[in-house]
Amino acid sequence: HGIPFIGEEGNLLTEMLRAMQLTREEVFITNILKCRLPDNRNPHVDEIHACRDYLHRQIALINPKMIITFGQVSAQTLLATTDTIENLRGKIHQFQHKPLITVYHPNYMLRSPIEKSKTWHDLQFALEAFKRHQ
């Protein structure tokens, strides 16, 4: 479809945004890679490197007030770390001088519904950080 986050995970993302009093039309959503991988697998390092410069330019052009990464791959890519999402959550990081917050990927929450409460707290944390950085 050429649209990031579709289907059940897309519906969950839409609800997550709604919890932050946002709509999809008010945010810019993109993926680390600019193509869909077979079987929706995680990207390999060389695939991330191939798209990294484009992604960085895209973010610079959009000039967001805040960045929220959904999932470990996007968090690790933008923060240039191998740290786990569990260790990255609940903190305000920086990317291109913008606040960056990490939350679980919607697909992970669909597989692990017990983690939804952690994500709810992360989204509230992101919303408060957003209000402070406006």
Side-chain angles (χ1 to χ4, degrees):
H1 291 97
I3 302 168
F5 297 97
I6 60 170
E8 197 174 357
E9 75 180 31
N11 292 336
L12 181 54
L13 175 60
T14 298
E15 291 304 314
M16 291 166 71
L17 291 172
R18 188 173 299 151
M20 295 178 66
Q21 303 163 356
L22 296 168
T23 65
R24 281 186 149 216
E25 292 75 28
E26 294 174 296
V27 299
F28 179 77
I29 302 170
T30 191
N31 286 318
I32 295 297
L33 297 189
K34 305 308 172 191
C35 59
R36 186 165 175 85
L37 295 171
D39 301 320
N40 205 23
R41 66 169 169 75
N42 284 339
H44 298 146
V45 173
D46 60 329
E47 294 166 330
I48 292 171
H49 285 242
C51 294
R52 187 178 49 201
D53 289 343
Y54 183 91
L55 176 66
H56 288 199
R57 286 190 313 271
Q58 189 177 35
I59 292 169
L61 287 170
I62 297 296
N63 193 24
K65 293 178 183 168
M66 173 179 273
I67 299 169
I68 299 177
T69 62
F70 290 92
Q72 187 162 282
V73 172
S74 60
Q76 288 176 338
T77 298
L78 291 183
L79 295 173
T81 185
T82 57
D83 213 348
T84 65
I85 191 159
E86 193 61 38
N87 291 334
L88 296 170
R89 293 176 48 250
K91 301 171 190 149
I92 299 176
H93 304 276
Q94 293 289 313
F95 180 79
Q96 294 182 353
H97 308 289
K98 305 288 182 192
L100 183 147
I101 308 280
T102 63
V103 301
Y104 289 119
H105 194 284
N107 206 12
Y108 175 73
M109 287 183 293
L110 291 171
R111 293 188 321 268
S112 304
I114 197 154
E115 301 298 358
K116 285 184 179 181
S117 64
K118 288 182 183 178
T119 302
W120 172 251
H121 294 291
D122 290 345
L123 293 175
Q124 295 305 304
F125 176 72
L127 184 57
E128 289 303 314
F130 180 76
K131 288 176 182 176
R132 285 193 310 269
H133 286 91
Q134 279 195 2

